């Protein structure tokens, strides 16, 4: 019996309200990602890339079509059910880091481990911060870290769970060129070690070129690059 893809979208559409009336963000989007595969979706700002991530990860419900995550149809799950399906198996990294400001770097990484009831969460968090070069920053808060350091914490937080699938939404978009290159190297090195699959959305062709497969978001549809 063949293993189902880690992610599959079939004829997915997304319509969102706006002041000028409903706007079609995604239209008939089809996508399939196998275990360990890294796919990049490129396109300009406003093309629907972030909406694709939100729908694929179960953060936003599509208005048509079906999303299957780890072989499970999301349409039959409520918000809590979708969160349980993601927990420990799918992680997300965003452009704006999304660190909790009142927690230290170590606490930010440990929090999802504790939610997933992983043992030794603080030890694991410290180990991952060492791996991303921040072993000396365990007790620092986000406002005490540079943008690149904050994204390293976000990567450690996402990958400490040893996920099957990582969603990365413009992970280098808020960083200068040199720091962005360092974060890209780190992310792909860590993924190579873990074997996790990747869905990357970016406007940066050089970053997208590092994936196994590249697609373009064009008019709400996905087409081969």
């Amino acid at each position: 019996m063949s293993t189902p893809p880690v992610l599959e979208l079939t004829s997915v559409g997304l319509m969102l309200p706006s002041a000028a009336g409903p706007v079609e963000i995604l239209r008939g989007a089809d996508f399939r990602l196998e275990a360990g595969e890294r796919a990049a979706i490129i396109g300009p700002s406003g093309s629907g890339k972030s909406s694709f991530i939100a729908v694929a990860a179960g953060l936003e419900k599509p208005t048509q079509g079906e999303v299957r995550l780890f072989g499970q149809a999301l349409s039959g799950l409520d918000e809590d059910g979708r969160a349980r399906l993601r927990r420990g198996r799918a992680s997300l990294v965003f452009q704006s880091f999304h660190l909790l400001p009142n927690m230290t770097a170590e606490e930010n990484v440990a929090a999802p481990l504790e939610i997933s009831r992983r043992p030794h969460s603080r030890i694991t968090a410290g180990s991952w911060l060492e791996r991303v070069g921040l072993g000396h920053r365990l007790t620092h808060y986000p406002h005490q870290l540079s943008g690149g350091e904050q994204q390293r914490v976000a990567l450690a937080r996402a990958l400490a769970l040893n996920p099957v699938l990582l969603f990365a939404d413009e992970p280098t978009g808020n960083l200068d060129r040199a720091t962005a290159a360092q974060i890209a190297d780190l992310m792909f090195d860590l993924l190579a070690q873990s074997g996790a699959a990747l869905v990357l959305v970016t406007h940066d062709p050089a970053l997208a070129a590092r994936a196994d497969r590249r697609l373009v978001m064009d008019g709400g549809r996905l087409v081969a690059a």
Side-chain angles (χ1 to χ4, degrees), residues 87-101:
R87 189 171 299 153
R89 292 201 283 174
S91 292
L92 295 100
V93 175
F94 298 96
Q95 177 176 351
S96 51
F97 319 134
H98 287 276
L99 300 180
L100 296 171

Side-chain angles (χ1 to χ4, degrees), residues 61-79:
K61 294 189 75 170
T63 46
Q64 69 179 53
E66 183 62 87
V67 180
R68 301 183 76 88
L69 187 60
F70 310 121
Q72 172 74 53
L74 299 188
S75 58
L77 301 175
D78 60 13
E79 186 174 350

Side-chain angles (χ1 to χ4, degrees), residues 97 134 145-153 174-175 179 183:
F97 319 134
L134 292 177
L145 303 173
S146 69
E149 288 171 332
Q150 290 186 62
Q151 194 61 299
R152 286 172 182 264
V153 175
N174 275 347
L175 306 174
T179 305
I183 293 297

Side-chain angles (χ1 to χ4, degrees), residues 40-116:
I41 298 168
I42 58 177
S45 296
S47 62
K49 302 188 307 299
S50 291
S51 292
F52 176 86
I53 285 270
V55 168
L59 304 176
E60 180 92 48
K61 294 189 75 170
T63 46
Q64 69 179 53
E66 183 62 87
V67 180
R68 301 183 76 88
L69 187 60
F70 310 121
Q72 172 74 53
L74 299 188
S75 58
L77 301 175
D78 60 13
E79 186 174 350
D80 287 343
R82 297 193 300 274
R84 284 193 298 271
L85 181 62
R86 285 192 302 271
R87 189 171 299 153
R89 292 201 283 174
S91 292
L92 295 100
V93 175
F94 298 96
Q95 177 176 351
S96 51
F97 319 134
H98 287 276
L99 300 180
L100 296 171
N102 61 336
M103 287 187 173
T104 65
E106 183 183 49
E107 290 167 343
N108 264 284
V109 177
L113 292 165
E114 292 166 354
I115 291 169
S116 297

Side-chain angles (χ1 to χ4, degrees), residues 182-201:
Q182 292 171 1
I183 293 297
D185 287 344
L186 178 62
M187 182 175 71
F188 278 96
D189 285 348
L190 293 173
L191 285 170
Q193 295 169 31
S194 71
L198 171 70
V199 178
L200 165 70
V201 301

